[in-house]
């Protein structure tokens, strides 16, 4: 699959040279697949799209289903849950995207504007406009990491985790090897 401004494109064959557009007319920002259920989730500016049949058909989820905002910037799947990064918080689904419970600053997020979400098992990482918010309980609550923890800026736009190392991007690349308690920063000059 390839994320495009016109939709989510699926490659044809084992080494694709041509693609089929799956969600026509939607600017897809991110996608995730659930290896257990086979479901595909696509984050879009007008909601979260989900497919149960490898992208043949799609169903849109919106604030009517519990999303914090219809602008879904990112999506992640882990531990039987779906996490959507929205302009209104992190929306969590325990029923394959049928319904969502939205998490906000009241639950520990640094800001309700969430750019990216990344999840591994029960750990959820949200790059927000007010810091990097980390949950160790599947998104029930978050602890926010900011410049006080060594980030050079509170506005974070990306997050990725590999093993025990957290990478977050704002004005620099923040790297933590201690669960987010402290960060070292790298710039283009490094």
């Amino acid at each position: 699959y390839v994320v495009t401004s016109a939709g989510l494109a699926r490659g044809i064959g084992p080494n694709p040279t041509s693609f089929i557009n799956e969600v026509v007319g939607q600017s897809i920002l991110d996608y995730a697949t659930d290896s257990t259920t086979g479901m595909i989730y696509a984050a879009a500016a007008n909601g979260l799209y989900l497919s149960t049949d490898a992208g043949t058909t799609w169903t849109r989820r919106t604030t009517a289903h519990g999303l914090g905002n219809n602008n879904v910037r990112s999506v992640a799947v882990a531990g039987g849950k779906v996490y959507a990064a929205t302009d209104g918080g992190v929306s969590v689904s325990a029923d394959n995207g049928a319904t969502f419970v939205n998490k906000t600053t009241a639950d520990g997020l640094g800001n309700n504007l969430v750019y990216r979400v990344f999840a591994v098992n029960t750990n959820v990482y949200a790059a927000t406009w007010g810091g990097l918010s980390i949950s160790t309980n599947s998104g029930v609550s978050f602890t926010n990491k900011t410049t006080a923890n060594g980030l050079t800026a509170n506005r974070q736009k990306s997050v990725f985790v590999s093993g025990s190392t957290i990478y977050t991007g704002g004005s620099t690349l923040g790297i933590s090897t201690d669960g987010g308690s402290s960060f070292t920063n790298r710039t283009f000059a490094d």
Side-chain angles (χ1 to χ4, degrees), residues 85-116:
T86 78
D87 283 1
V90 174
S91 301
V92 183
S93 175
D95 56 11
N96 298 317
T99 60
F100 289 85
V101 173
N102 197 51
K103 302 299 180 169
T104 65
T105 54
D107 302 293
L109 287 178
N111 192 291
N112 290 337
L113 180 55
V114 183
Y115 271 88
R116 291 284 179 259

Side-chain angles (χ1 to χ4, degrees), residues 83-168:
Y83 303 93
T86 78
D87 283 1
V90 174
S91 301
V92 183
S93 175
D95 56 11
N96 298 317
T99 60
F100 289 85
V101 173
N102 197 51
K103 302 299 180 169
T104 65
T105 54
D107 302 293
L109 287 178
N111 192 291
N112 290 337
L113 180 55
V114 183
Y115 271 88
R116 291 284 179 259
V117 65
F118 192 90
V120 180
N121 300 319
T122 60
N123 295 332
V124 183
Y125 306 86
T128 81
W129 214 232
L132 177 67
S133 302
I134 301 172
S135 173
T136 57
N137 55 13
S138 299
V140 173
S141 62
F142 289 85
T143 302
N144 197 49
K145 307 301 180 173
T146 65
T147 54
N149 302 97
L151 293 173
T152 57
N154 288 337
R155 291 182 176 181
Q156 298 300 304
K157 287 190 160 188
S158 62
V159 62
F160 179 78
V161 179
S162 178
S164 61
T165 305
I166 303 168
Y167 301 91
T168 185

Side-chain angles (χ1 to χ4, degrees), residues 33-41 77-81 96:
T33 58
D34 187 330
S35 60
T36 304
T37 65
M39 291 186 68
I40 305 169
Y41 301 90
V77 178
K81 297 203 175 169
N96 298 317

Side-chain angles (χ1 to χ4, degrees), residues 42-81:
N46 68 342
L48 181 70
Y49 287 80
L50 48 106
S51 175
T52 60
D53 56 11
T56 302
T57 60
W58 294 87
T59 303
R60 184 168 67 113
R61 296 293 185 244
T62 65
T63 54
H65 302 95
L67 289 175
N69 188 286
N70 286 338
N71 191 19
V72 181
R73 297 174 178 270
S74 175
V75 62
V77 178
K81 297 203 175 169

